[in-house]
């Protein structure tokens, strides 16, 4: 496993950005299997991959089994807030989108989503979706942008606007 990020920087834990995204998806997938939680992520297991699910189960088993990971609590809170306030905005930019599935899980049909992440991450996500024959394009309501913001932050708004983002919204 490589321990460099897309921009060539060493990762302190030996994981690439894509590895970290798959780990996060695995955490959400495992929580989704817990019938005591009001949380479901139908695509998280697929995006995590079987190897990362097994690794993450091993890590989880070393901690209290009845604790809810912070990433899941955060996801649940963001989901709830978006559903309660969905009439207040027309577009959402998800920076560091990773293997997030919110754009597909939530029934927010009037919102245009812009998922932004490093090339490695977006390419992996698209490959996994294609390999599993899952079409989550949402009729053009989701645009994925391959940007490494640590290297090229200045291209964020021009790239978003090229995909239909409106600054005035």
């Amino acid at each position: 496993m490589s321990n460099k990020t897309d921009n060539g920087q060493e990762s302190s834990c030996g994981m690439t950005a894509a590895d970290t995204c798959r780990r996060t998806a695995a955490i959400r997938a495992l929580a989704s299997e817990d019938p005591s939680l009001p949380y479901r992520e139908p695509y998280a297991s697929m995006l995590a991959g079987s190897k990362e699910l097994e690794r993450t189960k091993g890590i989880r088993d070393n901690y209290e089994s009845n604790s809810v990971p912070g990433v899941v609590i955060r996801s649940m809170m963001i989901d709830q807030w978006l559903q309660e306030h969905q009439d207040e905005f027309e577009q959402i930019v998800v920076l560091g989108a990773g293997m997030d599935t919110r754009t597909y899980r939530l029934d927010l049909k009037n919102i245009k989503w812009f998922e932004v992440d490093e090339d490695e991450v977006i390419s992996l996500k698209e490959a996994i979706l294609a390999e599993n024959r899952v079409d989550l394009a949402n009729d053009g309501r989701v645009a994925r942008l391959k940007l490494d913001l640590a290297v090229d932050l200045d291209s964020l708004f021009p790239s978003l606007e090229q995909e239909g983002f409106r600054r005035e919204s």
Side-chain angles (χ1 to χ4, degrees):
M1 171 182 0
S2 169
N3 62 350
K4 291 190 179 230
T5 62
D6 277 356
N7 61 16
Q9 296 178 346
E10 290 288 327
S11 167
S12 62
C13 62
M15 293 178 70
T16 66
D19 295 335
T20 303
C21 293
R22 290 190 100 164
R23 170 75 45 89
T24 303
I27 292 167
R28 293 192 324 261
L30 294 174
S32 184
E33 294 172 1
D34 183 343
S36 69
L37 291 176
Y39 182 75
R40 298 295 166 257
E41 282 257 10
Y43 305 107
S45 290
M46 173 188 61
L47 290 167
S50 59
K51 288 181 184 176
E52 189 55 50
L53 278 170
E54 287 306 311
R55 250 185 246 124
T56 304
K57 281 180 188 175
I59 293 167
R60 179 196 62 186
D61 292 344
N62 289 327
Y63 297 96
E64 290 184 44
S65 60
N66 63 350
S67 64
V68 180
V71 68
V72 174
I73 294 169
R74 182 183 71 215
S75 289
M76 291 169 59
M77 292 177 69
I78 292 171
D79 288 356
Q80 180 180 347
W81 188 91
L82 287 171
Q83 290 169 328
E84 290 172 359
H85 298 276
Q86 64 183 298
D87 296 330
E88 299 173 23
F89 43 86
E90 299 172 355
Q91 51 191 9
I92 296 174
V93 177
V94 184
L95 299 176
M99 300 297 159
D100 186 81
T101 63
R102 187 171 285 111
T103 56
Y104 319 110
R105 288 187 293 107
L106 301 182
D107 188 26
L108 306 175
K109 294 189 183 339
N110 297 323
I111 295 174
K112 170 84 176 187
W113 296 80
F114 300 88
E115 295 184 343
V116 181
D117 214 317
E118 296 179 11
D119 186 348
E120 172 194 20
V121 175
I122 295 289
S123 294
L124 178 61
K125 185 176 191 175
E126 289 174 340
I128 293 168
L129 294 173
E131 180 182 309
N132 288 279
R133 294 189 169 99
V134 176
D135 179 17
L136 298 177
N138 286 357
D139 302 323
R141 291 185 300 113
V142 178
R144 291 191 195 101
L145 290 83
K146 298 174 180 179
L147 293 172
D148 185 345
L149 298 179
V151 175
D152 194 14
L153 183 59
D154 292 338
S155 67
L156 177 61
F157 278 110
S159 297
L160 285 168
E161 288 169 339
Q162 187 174 6
E163 294 294 331
F165 178 78
R166 295 180 321 278
R167 287 189 196 214
E168 68 277 356
S169 289

